[in-house]
């Protein structure tokens, strides 16, 4: 009988078969901020910029509402460029309705989703007249009942037009809250509620502006400018470029 031989697998194969996969590393749990640290962060923001302003141009609560609705998925600069001429001739719900949806589209056609937004602007103007006497309502529930208005828009209007201590969470605020670990959350509502919980009342009036500006100009999405960050020593982000 011919001799039967078995070919052994290569050493590298044997080694790979014997090797056990390395256990996955658990993400390091970041240390929560203390109340004193949160206070210190906002005290620094206040010292540098005591009266932060939103960058959307408006002349009254109605034009603020419209500007915020138009700003969804658009830059403030782009919205301002389109609304300067629009608000010069239509700064009330009645004037906006009289202008008409087609003309509104012509004014805002440089803004993303301008067709849908023009439709919403006319619809919310009609509802303001029909249900609120032409005035912008002062409750979140009423604001969110308007076409094109969500929680973030309602929070901006309540804060800027009526001085309410609300927290509007956009992509910048969401990023800052999670990256710094000041207010981590899986969604914008989680981050909003946590920020409202931890930020001292004395800073709430301007808190969302400070965080938006910080995210827009310092804590950038791709290349955060940690070297000029006011709160880099408090930030918990593991990848920050300064201690």
């Amino acid at each position: 009988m011919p001799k039967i031989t078995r070919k052994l697998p290569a050493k590298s194969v044997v080694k790979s078969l014997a090797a056990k996969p390395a256990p996955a590393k658990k993400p390091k749990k970041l240390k929560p901020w203390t109340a004193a640290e949160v206070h210190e962060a906002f005290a620094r923001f206040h010292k540098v910029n005591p009266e932060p302003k939103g960058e959307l141009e408006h002349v009254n609560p109605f034009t603020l509402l419209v500007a915020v609705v138009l700003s969804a998925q658009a830059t403030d600069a782009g919205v301002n460029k389109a609304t300067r001429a629009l608000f010069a001739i239509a700064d009330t719900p009645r004037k906006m309705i009289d202008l008409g949806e087609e003309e509104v589209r012509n004014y805002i056609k440089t803004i993303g989703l301008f067709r849908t937004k023009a439709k919403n602007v006319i619809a919310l103007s009609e509802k303001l007249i029909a249900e609120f006497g032409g005035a912008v309502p002062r409750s979140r529930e009423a604001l969110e009942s308007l076409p094109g208005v969500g929680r973030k828009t309602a929070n901006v209007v309540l804060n800027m037009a009526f001085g309410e201590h609300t927290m509007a969470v956009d992509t910048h605020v969401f990023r800052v809250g999670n990256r710094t670990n000041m207010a981590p959350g899986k969604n914008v509502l989680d981050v909003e509620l946590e920020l409202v919980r931890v930020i001292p009342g004395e800073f709430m009036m301007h808190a969302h502006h400070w965080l938006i500006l910080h995210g827009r100009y310092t804590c950038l999405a791709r290349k955060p400018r940690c070297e000029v960050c006011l709160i880099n020593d408090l930030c918990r982000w593991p990848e920050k470029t300064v201690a």
Side-chain angles (χ1 to χ4, degrees):
M1 291 179 61
K3 188 176 180 181
I4 300 174
T5 59
R6 295 178 62 192
K7 188 175 181 181
L8 295 176
K11 289 183 179 180
S12 60
V13 175
V14 173
K15 188 175 181 181
S16 66
L17 291 173
K20 295 181 179 179
K25 291 184 179 180
K26 292 183 179 180
K28 186 177 179 181
K29 191 172 182 179
L30 302 179
K31 182 181 176 183
W33 287 49
T34 65
E37 288 174 325
V38 177
H39 188 282
E40 174 63 20
F42 285 94
R44 293 179 192 178
F45 288 141
H46 177 268
K47 184 177 181 180
V48 171
N49 187 6
E51 296 287 335
K53 303 295 182 184
E55 296 183 332
L56 286 173
E57 297 173 6
H58 60 281
V59 296
N60 56 31
F62 172 69
T63 54
L64 172 64
L65 173 63
V66 172
V68 181
V69 168
L70 296 179
S71 71
Q73 300 182 48
T75 65
D76 288 359
V79 172
N80 291 337
K81 186 176 180 180
T83 57
R84 287 181 192 124
L86 174 63
F87 293 159
I89 61 170
D91 59 356
T92 69
R94 172 50 59 195
K95 291 178 182 177
M96 195 68 74
I97 293 169
D98 290 344
L99 187 62
E101 184 179 331
E102 185 177 351
E103 277 303 301
V104 172
R105 282 202 305 268
N106 290 334
Y107 277 98
I108 67 169
K109 61 186 177 182
T110 56
I111 301 174
L113 306 174
F114 70 95
R115 291 182 177 85
T116 299
K117 291 177 179 179
K119 184 177 180 179
N120 284 336
V121 167
I122 295 299
L124 72 82
S125 298
E126 291 172 341
K127 189 163 184 173
L128 287 175
I129 291 174
E131 298 183 20
F132 302 103
V136 176
R138 296 189 61 160
S139 78
R140 181 184 284 110
E141 182 181 7
L143 284 166
E144 288 187 38
S145 74
L146 299 170
V149 177
R151 187 179 180 91
K152 187 199 81 171
T153 297
N155 281 336
V156 173
V157 174
L158 289 171
N159 178 267
M160 294 181 64
F162 304 122
E164 300 287 341
H165 286 187
T166 54
M167 173 56 61
V169 178
D170 66 355
T171 56
H172 300 298
V173 177
F174 184 78
R175 179 173 65 255
V176 173
N178 275 288
R179 180 182 277 168
T180 63
N181 204 48
M182 181 190 291
K186 294 181 179 179
N187 54 58
V188 293
L189 181 59
D190 287 347
V191 172
E192 175 192 333
L193 296 178
E194 183 64 8
L195 286 170
V196 171
R197 186 185 73 82
V198 302
I199 297 173
E202 65 188 283
F203 298 120
M204 273 302 298
M205 181 61 202
H206 298 306
H208 95 269
H209 282 136
W210 282 318
L211 293 175
I212 287 171
L213 294 172
H214 188 66
R216 184 173 291 166
Y217 298 111
T218 302
C219 195
L220 309 179
R222 293 187 178 181
K223 293 183 179 180
R225 304 172 64 215
C226 300
E227 68 281 1
V228 296
C229 175
L230 287 175
I231 58 172
N232 54 35
D233 58 319
L234 303 172
C235 176
R236 304 293 200 260
W237 190 41
E239 298 177 44
K240 63 183 178 181
T241 56
V242 293

